[in-house]
Every structure is written in structure tokens, then in C-alpha cells.
Amino acid sequence: HRRLRLYSKDTNVPRSRFVECSCGKCSGILGAGTQVRYNSGGNEKMSLEKAEKYLEEKGFLDHVIELEASTATVTEAAEALHVEPGIIAKTMSFLQNDKAVLILTEGTARVDNRKYKDTFHIKAKMIPFDEVENIIGHAPGGVCPFGINEGIEVYLDESLKQFTTVYPAAGNDHSAVKLTIPELEQVAEANGWVDVCKETENGSFMV
């Protein structure tokens, strides 16, 4: 049985991944469904190295920023980088039947289910939290389109185009990559642009 460090249910994604402990021992002591996490520091380093290797091959290694502060959430990344949350390029992981798809959006955007279905002809289904690392190659908090597993399609959402420069993650939750929109399109080897995020009445993207 792993040694587990405990965190409250409303804690945002921290440095290591969360799991729900379902063993009888922990459920009895902590209460069923108590959220816990375990240290995956070795995997984090490997994920960063995979992303850096990929970016080095593309000529963008010098765009990587490693930080002491957490970048696991959009809010944390924005605070660590001293930018507004929208400039953080959020990478969302979806399953389309047996195919994995990544969509990068501006940091505060939310997916519009109708737009998603109109675009991909399938309902939006996020990859379960505890399956993301195995399917994508990076754990939640560090998911990005760099150094990912083979066969994953990558799309960029139109919401990103309101910014000149954005900051996606670089494989772990203490990193970012500073890229212009054309650079992101190039280095992510995106399959194309999509419009799957909600908009407000004035045409801006919903926070």
C-alpha cells in the first residue's frame, strides 16, 4: 500500500496527481472517497524531459520556462508568469471513440458542447483524470502537445487568436513555453483550427 499524503476535496490540482483511495483501510479511516495524492516526481521529470527533447528538435528549447511556483492550474500559471489567465494556453484532453484528441484554448475558455459536436460529430468526452498520463504521455497539470504519445490529434481553438503570445505547459506542473501564435501552430504540428468554445453576447470568449 502506498504512503499517501492527504488533501481536501476542493484543493486544485497540485504538484502530484490526485487519486481517490478506495481501499477498505483508507476508506474506513478517512471516509469513503477522500481525495489523496501520491508523489510522482520521477514521472514529472521524465515528462519535462520528453517535452524539452521535442522542443529542442523543433528549435524551440530556449522558449521553455522552468519555475519554482506551481503552474498546475491556469490561475497558478498566470500568477507564476505574471500574465493574465487568458494568455495561458490550456490543453484539454478528449476521447473520441478510441482516439485521443488535444485541444488548446485560451486559459479562461470553456468548451461549448454544441459547437464541439458540430465540429467533431461526437459528444465531448474528457479523458478521465487518472488515465490522462497513460493515454497522453503527460500527467494533469503538465499536459501539452509536446512530446506526447503517437496517434494523438492536436487542434488549436480560435479563442487563442485574440493574443499575440501564449504560454502552454511543457510537460510538468512547474513549466511553461512562451510562443507566438504562429510558433505554437508550427511546433504543436496542429491538425487545424477549431471553434469549440463558448462566447458571450459581445463576441468575446466566456470566462
Side-chain angles (χ1 to χ4, degrees):
H1 186 76
R2 294 187 183 95
R3 177 178 294 178
L4 300 167
R5 299 176 64 186
L6 310 181
Y7 292 79
S8 65
K9 291 188 177 183
D10 60 354
T11 303
N12 286 325
V13 180
R15 182 170 178 77
S16 302
R17 77 159 96 168
F18 279 111
V19 296
E20 284 199 354
C21 186
S22 58
C23 81
K25 183 176 180 181
C26 285
S27 294
I29 297 171
L30 308 171
T34 298
Q35 269 194 319
V36 297
R37 77 175 185 179
Y38 60 89
N39 192 329
S40 58
N43 288 343
E44 285 184 358
K45 183 178 179 181
M46 289 175 60
S47 287
L48 175 63
E49 289 174 351
K50 281 196 303 181
E52 287 183 330
K53 181 180 179 182
Y54 176 91
L55 290 163
E56 183 177 21
E57 291 171 353
K58 300 292 182 181
F60 288 90
L61 181 61
D62 59 344
H63 291 238
V64 175
I65 304 167
E66 292 188 55
L67 299 135
E68 288 294 325
S70 172
T71 56
T73 68
V74 169
T75 299
E76 289 176 340
E79 290 176 353
L81 293 163
H82 306 291
V83 299
E84 61 180 281
I87 293 176
I88 304 302
K90 176 171 59 179
T91 305
M92 306 180 73
S93 311
F94 296 89
L95 277 179
Q96 297 178 359
N97 296 318
D98 59 350
K99 179 178 67 178
V101 171
L102 295 181
I103 302 177
L104 279 75
T105 74
E106 67 103 334
T108 64
R110 284 187 263 171
V111 168
D112 183 307
N113 289 327
R114 180 186 58 78
K115 284 185 174 183
Y116 184 99
K117 188 172 182 180
D118 288 347
T119 300
F120 294 107
H121 309 293
I122 192 171
K123 288 184 178 180
K125 179 183 178 182
M126 299 288 292
I127 297 176
F129 188 94
D130 60 355
E131 297 177 21
V132 171
E133 185 173 10
N134 182 54
I135 294 174
I136 302 300
H138 300 305
V143 176
C144 63
F146 319 124
I148 55 178
N149 294 335
E150 293 184 4
I152 298 172
E153 294 184 359
V154 177
Y155 295 90
L156 306 179
D157 186 78
E158 294 285 337
S159 60
L160 291 166
K161 289 185 176 180
Q162 62 189 297
F163 302 110
T164 302
T165 300
V166 294
Y167 294 84
N172 74 1
D173 54 9
H174 281 70
S175 65
V177 189
K178 184 178 182 180
L179 297 166
T180 65
I181 295 300
E183 288 172 342
L184 175 63
E185 187 173 14
Q186 174 189 342
V187 74
E189 297 186 344
N191 291 68
W193 287 89
V194 294
D195 178 12
V196 296
C197 288
K198 295 181 179 180
E199 294 182 24
T200 60
E201 290 182 1
N202 65 9
S204 62
F205 287 90
M206 182 177 290
V207 176

